[in-house]
Amino acid sequence: MLLGLLIMRALLALARIMARLPRWAGSAWARLLNAGTKPFDVVNFAGSWLGGSVMPRRAMVVLCDRTIAALHRRLDRENENSLAKGMPYPTRWDPFFREFMTVADLYRFPVQHFDFHRDQLSLS
């Protein structure tokens, strides 16, 4: 969950930058990222495993709390226009990435991603 929240902050910044560029630039970026799916999967797994193995749980809790608070403050400052901005995304990277995602979609993403993995690990 923490990794998703940390990535969320970068995704929000990227979406704001890409929303200012022509649509073709975002589409080209998404295609480039889709082409790099295999290396991304390796780095994503290794980063999650390493972070969960090396970082003390207490530090993860503190970082998670700070990240959630920062995202909450940011969400409070959003308006309808800013939530509607977005960009094309690499659909091969995650089952919840769509061809175009708005800032509002990005705010939902970490919990959707977490719930997906939680359900994968559930025995019921």
Side-chain angles (χ1 to χ4, degrees), residues 13-79:
L14 184 59
R16 291 183 199 300
I17 292 167
M18 296 302 258
R20 292 187 170 118
L21 299 175
R23 179 75 181 247
W24 64 264
S27 297
W29 177 248
R31 282 192 306 276
L32 178 67
L33 293 177
N34 268 331
T37 297
K38 294 250 188 234
F40 168 79
D41 288 343
V42 171
V43 170
N44 189 28
F45 172 80
S48 298
W49 175 79
L50 188 61
S53 300
V54 174
M55 188 177 233
R57 287 182 192 258
R58 183 69 191 134
M60 279 195 278
V61 169
V62 169
L63 182 56
C64 189
D65 288 346
R66 287 182 183 164
T67 304
I68 289 170
L71 286 169
H72 193 275
R73 285 190 302 273
R74 188 172 185 164
L75 180 57
D76 285 344
R77 291 190 309 268
E78 300 284 3
N79 60 44

